[in-house]
Amino acid sequence: NFALGYGGIYQFHDCVFYGAVADGTALMITMTGISPWIGFAVGPIVAAILSLIMGLICIRLSKLYFGMLQISLGSLFWAIIYRWRSFTGGEDGMHGIPLPDIISSGTGAYYFTVIVSAICFFVIYRILKSPFGSALQGVRDNPVRSEMIGVNVRRHQLAALIISGFFAGIAGVLFVVVDNSVFPDLMFWALSMEIMIMCLLGGWLTFFGPLVGAGLIVVVRTVISGYTEYWSLFLGIILMLIIFFLPDGVLGYFTNKFAKRAKKQMVKG
């Protein structure tokens, strides 16, 4: 949501960074024998570099064409991972990735994920509250006016993509820790669409909206999957309902409602 909600950039294939880091970290640990901690540290940096390269290619395009080109480049990465069976394991992926003892258990992986996620939330919050974050939101709302007052629009958008890619890389590392395995579908465009729907459902213009949307999607998916295997059909229905009835998302709806009520009370007072 850093790039989509606060940067106004149509990040249609964010999972390419998520999946690339998950696969790259697993490959580094299993094939080179290096310390997993080194792989965990290198992964997000590689994601940021990959995001920089992809951003330099796509950033000059308009919003929709940017998203479509990103899907194309991401699908290319997915095809390489999927087809290169001798190196990546192909559709079977890699399993039983060796991890440090402190996070090899379910409890250790849980607390590690919670701590890292909390740190990431705090860092992202501080970035958004900084002058850079304010300028980025100005670029989202009116890029022409922002450019007229001296804001380098392309540079801010590119920085947003790099930061977004870095944190997507951290998410990829956490997936390796939690699941102890990786597979090509982590880079498939459908997962990126699911994540985007999480942002839209929760409220893409709010900080905690994507977290709310993720929780709602996971709960709905768990319930529906118990009755039918056509989960993706219901995902499309959810997207249409959001567009028509909750364009600001669940959290955005209640935030706007409370803001209007507070404003009315101030006027009456």
Side-chain angles (χ1 to χ4, degrees):
N1 198 46
F2 190 93
L4 176 65
Y6 288 93
I9 305 168
Y10 287 5
Q11 184 87 312
F12 283 170
H13 207 339
D14 190 58
C15 277
V16 66
F17 313 115
Y18 170 71
V21 168
D23 275 285
T25 302
L27 286 169
M28 280 192 289
I29 295 173
T30 56
M31 293 191 173
T32 65
I34 65 171
S35 169
W37 298 113
I38 297 177
F40 296 163
V42 171
I45 297 174
V46 173
I49 295 173
L50 180 61
S51 184
L52 170 63
I53 295 172
M54 190 174 290
L56 290 173
I57 296 173
C58 305
I59 199 68
R60 295 185 180 278
L61 300 176
S62 62
K63 292 182 178 181
L64 181 59
Y65 289 110
F66 170 88
M68 297 305 294
L69 182 56
Q70 191 183 53
I71 289 178
S72 300
L73 293 174
S75 298
L76 176 62
F77 281 102
W78 170 80
I80 293 173
I81 297 295
Y82 186 84
R83 295 290 184 180
W84 201 351
R85 176 177 289 273
S86 61
F87 186 60
T88 65
E91 61 182 330
D92 296 327
M94 291 173 282
H95 305 272
I97 301 165
L99 298 173
D101 293 336
I102 193 173
I103 58 174
S104 59
S105 65
T107 303
Y110 170 78
Y111 283 111
F112 179 76
T113 302
V114 169
I115 293 170
V116 172
S117 298
I119 294 172
C120 289
F121 268 103
F122 175 76
V123 173
I124 293 173
Y125 181 80
R126 295 306 304 168
I127 292 174
L128 292 174
K129 292 300 180 180
S130 68
F132 167 80
S134 300
L136 183 64
Q137 293 173 63
V139 168
R140 174 200 65 193
D141 295 335
N142 197 323
V144 176
R145 182 175 296 176
S146 297
E147 195 164 14
M148 289 180 64
I149 63 175
V151 177
N152 191 318
V153 172
R154 300 298 184 192
R155 186 178 298 174
H156 278 73
Q157 290 177 332
L158 184 60
L161 289 174
I162 295 171
I163 295 171
S164 176
F166 178 82
F167 285 104
I170 294 178
V173 168
L174 293 179
F175 182 87
V176 174
V177 172
V178 172
D179 203 68
N180 202 21
S181 62
V182 294
F183 43 89
D185 282 351
L186 291 175
M187 300 177 66
F188 196 53
W189 66 268
L191 183 58
S192 293
M193 293 297 104
E194 185 174 328
I195 292 176
M196 189 173 72
I197 290 174
M198 290 176 181
C199 295
L200 296 174
L201 176 60
W204 64 309
L205 299 178
T206 62
F207 183 76
F208 289 105
L211 186 62
V212 174
L216 291 173
I217 288 292
V218 170
V219 170
V220 173
R221 178 173 56 191
T222 302
V223 173
I224 293 177
S225 298
Y227 296 95
T228 178
E229 62 184 62
Y230 300 109
W231 155 246
S232 57
L233 173 63
F234 287 90
L235 193 65
I237 295 173
I238 290 172
L239 178 58
M240 288 190 294
L241 292 175
I242 293 170
I243 293 173
F244 283 112
F245 299 106
L246 285 174
D248 294 325
V250 174
L251 193 59
Y253 170 78
F254 287 108
T255 300
N256 294 335
K257 190 173 183 179
F258 289 140
K260 290 179 181 178
R261 182 177 297 178
K263 188 176 180 181
K264 287 181 180 178
Q265 291 178 351
M266 289 179 61
V267 172
K268 289 180 180 179

